[in-house]
Amino acid sequence: MYSKQKSSRFRTVTLRLTVWYAALSGALSAVVFLTVFLALRSSLDRRTDLELLSKVEEFEALYTSRGSQALVAEFQREAGSQGAGRVFFRLLSPTGEVIVASNLRAWHGLENIVPSLPGPLMEAVTFQTLSVPGRRHQVRMVLKRAPDGRVIQVGVALRNNELLAEKYWETFAMALGLMLVCGGLVGWLVARRAMSGVERVTQAAVHIGKSDLNRLVPLGHKGREIEELALAFNSMLERIQALVRELKGVTNNIAHDLRTPITRIRGIAETTLTGEADLAAYREMAGAVIEESDRLVEMINTMLEIAQAESGVAKFTISPVDVRKIIQGARELFLSVAEDKGVRLEAELPSEPLSVLGDLPRLQRVMANLLDNAIKYTAAGGRVSLAARANGSRVIIEVTDTGAGIPPAEIPRIFDRFYRGDKSRSAPGSGLGLSLALAVVRAQGGDITVSSEPGRGSTFAVSLPRASSNK
Ligand code: ADP
């Protein structure tokens, strides 16, 4: 169903572009043709008028110098040479009655037309375009008043001009048809080309949605917009992939790691139910159940926090925080723990205020996790130190210990959820401390790196964005 919707949508866009291109090229060619036609017509009209004027002036000169007999002879001669059906000449009285004329056999309708006479002034001229009954083409005529008040009229059928215009419109119609087809074709090709990129992205997206969420939309070279669409799609896919990974991780953790404490709780409860212990033993077992349950709740809460931080759902209150405050707070919190274990806890505070952009309570929690580990994995007589320094636009907070260190093979895995080093299993812990620290620091634009040498100690370096205003 989806692919049907998709193909009809593409068809519509392609069709619309095709129609647009065709209409646009049609309209453009119509404008061009119309402009050319108007220019051509006005030039033809001007030429006709000039010819008419020169002819009427020629007749007038003849009439003035040699009289009406000579004019009539000239009328006949000229009509004979130009074609009596094409032109006519008349000499009219001052009020418009015909005195003499050329051969008017082809001009029957002329008698019914009242000519628009030029004004009474000598040399006055009028032009007129008329339809003469019985003639297919219009007639253009000029009337000129001779010095004696009579009027000489010269008329010509606009046949050639009109035939030319007809030919022109025929050509235009053909050209318009061609332009519509070509415009439509270009529009179709452009639309197909543009749509093929979108189609590629859509097909890939549909395929990915149906079969394999771990793939990305392949990038091509179909233009920036399409590539941006593909990139936007891929970043969305990457986010979905991260969420799916997250979900799988949490599901696996629930399946494997949470089952153990629950089984333990069940075991205790079963022993309590079946055994015949005294009240004190029952109390002890109930206490153990509560303890295990608390641990379980704590683990679930930490897992939720990690998932929220990793998926970007967790809300952070980011503000400039002086790292000296973080370090001092952590040191105060763990001083007695370190003392009890016989580990020296040192803090090297920067002399100047040094601020990071972060969420204070969460950063304190990160420091507590790192310090807790450092003290936990350092034997009595060892040393744990805290330090901070600026590094360009970042601030590095380091927790260094002289403890057991981490074998190189374990380093890539210590940030995994529930991972516990081989030698650390005897120490208390859930294997979630570092995962939470890393997720929380990354969610604030930071990172944690570790360098360690087995038997000599480890350094955990937390890098965070430095606040620009260090007060
Ligand atoms: P936990 O400490 O509860 O086991 P963590 O996630 O905090 O879980 O740490 C994961 C593992 O990384 C630990 O089990 C331990 O093997 C190793 N580790 C972490 N910090 C240190 C350290 N400071 N020194 C040595 N090993 C460490």
Side-chain angles (χ1 to χ4, degrees):
M1 187 189 125
Y2 175 78
S3 68
K4 242 189 235 166
Q5 271 179 3
K6 173 212 72 180
S7 69
S8 74
R9 195 170 57 237
F10 281 131
R11 237 179 272 138
T12 314
V13 173
T14 311
L15 189 76
R16 263 146 86 204
L17 273 176
T18 308
V19 172
W20 267 105
Y21 265 84
L24 200 70
S25 48
L28 273 178
S29 43
V31 168
V32 170
F33 264 82
L34 205 70
T35 314
V36 173
F37 174 74
L38 290 176
L40 188 77
R41 246 255 321 251
S42 106
S43 139
L44 284 175
D45 288 350
R46 219 173 25 249
R47 211 180 66 188
T48 308
D49 285 358
L50 283 175
E51 277 172 14
L52 286 173
L53 195 65
S54 113
K55 191 52 63 193
V56 83
E57 278 170 354
E58 197 184 299
F59 286 146
E60 188 209 352
L62 185 74
Y63 173 65
T64 316
S65 60
R66 304 206 3 231
S68 57
Q69 287 303 321
L71 185 65
V72 175
E74 185 59 18
F75 275 179
Q76 302 302 1
R77 201 194 58 74
E78 189 69 34
S81 79
Q82 285 201 37
R86 185 178 164 261
V87 289
F88 73 89
F89 313 111
R90 296 194 299 187
L91 176 67
L92 309 174
S93 73
T95 51
E97 288 84 37
V98 180
I99 301 168
V100 285
S102 59
N103 180 356
L104 293 182
R105 233 178 301 137
W107 297 90
H108 293 304
L110 209 57
E111 296 94 71
N112 306 324
I113 292 174
V114 181
S116 87
L117 293 174
L121 287 176
M122 213 175 84
E123 305 276 295
V125 175
T126 54
F127 283 96
Q128 230 181 328
T129 304
L130 289 172
S131 294
V132 176
R135 294 190 68 90
R136 187 174 155 229
H137 301 284
Q138 284 200 308
V139 179
R140 180 79 172 157
M141 43 192 95
V142 61
L143 296 103
K144 187 162 196 246
R145 207 170 275 282
D148 63 358
R150 286 178 171 177
V151 174
I152 302 169
Q153 184 185 29
V154 175
V156 63
L158 291 173
R159 181 171 175 271
N160 288 352
N161 291 10
E162 287 183 4
L163 285 181
L164 196 73
E166 274 169 26
K167 197 86 206 139
Y168 186 88
W169 284 116
E170 269 172 30
T171 316
F172 167 66
M174 269 160 53
L176 185 70
L178 204 71
M179 287 307 282
L180 285 176
V181 172
C182 288
L185 202 70
V186 169
W188 186 79
L189 285 174
V190 167
R192 286 304 305 154
R193 223 181 123 67
M195 284 296 117
S196 73
V198 178
E199 220 162 337
R200 173 173 57 83
V201 174
T202 313
Q203 268 170 9
V206 169
H207 184 72
I208 290 166
K210 273 187 192 154
S211 59
D212 182 6
L213 264 182
N214 286 320
R215 277 184 45 201
L216 292 178
V217 175
L219 298 177
H221 308 279
K222 286 278 180 190
R224 240 187 77 201
E225 291 84 350
I226 303 296
E227 291 328 305
E228 272 170 16
L229 176 71
L231 284 173
F233 221 93
N234 283 347
S235 80
M236 190 184 81
L237 273 173
E238 275 162 5
R239 182 118 172 75
I240 292 173
Q241 285 161 11
L243 286 172
V244 170
R245 264 199 309 277
E246 189 58 33
L247 194 68
K248 274 188 189 156
V250 172
T251 318
N252 285 344
N253 292 155
I254 290 173
H256 300 115
D257 301 275
L258 296 188
R259 198 174 265 174
T260 319
I262 292 172
T263 313
R264 248 195 324 262
I265 292 171
R266 196 184 181 283
I268 298 169
E270 207 173 295
T271 318
T272 314
L273 205 65
T274 53
E276 286 176 12
D278 57 14
L279 189 63
Y282 279 130
R283 278 181 193 277
E284 200 181 313
M285 286 180 201
V289 167
I290 290 173
E291 207 175 296
E292 282 293 336
S293 303
D294 286 349
R295 259 169 44 81
L296 196 60
V297 170
E298 174 70 24
M299 275 163 73
I300 291 170
N301 284 342
T302 310
M303 276 173 63
L304 280 176
E305 271 185 74
I306 297 171
Q308 283 172 347
E310 283 183 352
S311 61
V313 183
K315 296 252 177 302
F316 287 83
T317 314
I318 306 287
S319 59
V321 180
D322 191 346
V323 286
R324 299 185 303 180
K325 198 171 161 186
I326 304 174
I327 292 177
Q328 251 167 346
R331 186 173 176 272
E332 275 162 26
L333 200 66
F334 280 86
L335 210 52
S336 59
V337 181
E339 258 174 28
D340 289 352
K341 198 169 173 196
V343 171
R344 197 145 41 95
L345 181 55
E346 293 170 354
E348 200 183 300
L349 295 178
S351 51
E352 295 285 303
L354 183 61
S355 295
V356 293
L357 278 177
D359 181 317
L360 179 62
R362 284 196 166 94
L363 289 180
Q364 281 172 334
R365 178 101 186 262
V366 169
M367 291 311 293
N369 279 353
L370 296 179
L371 256 185
D372 183 42
N373 279 349
I375 297 169
K376 193 161 64 176
Y377 299 115
T378 300
R383 181 167 47 87
V384 171
S385 57
L386 291 162
R389 63 189 159 84
N391 183 11
S393 62
R394 317 209 43 100
V395 171
I396 315 288
I397 308 172
E398 284 176 339
V399 180
T400 306
D401 64 62
T402 58
I406 308 163
E410 286 186 6
I411 286 186
R413 303 188 58 199
I414 57 171
F415 290 99
D416 290 351
R417 262 181 302 222
F418 291 105
Y419 180 78
R420 306 204 67 204
D422 274 345
K423 289 190 188 150
S424 321
R425 303 263 158 83
S426 52
S430 62
L432 287 174
L434 283 183
S435 320
L436 178 67
L438 186 65
V440 164
V441 167
R442 282 198 172 152
Q444 295 176 71
D447 203 3
I448 304 182
T449 52
V450 56
S451 59
S452 183
E453 223 180 297
R456 308 200 73 171
S458 322
T459 297
F460 284 80
V462 180
S463 119
L464 286 161
R466 186 178 176 177
S468 50
S469 57
N470 284 317
K471 280 170 255 156

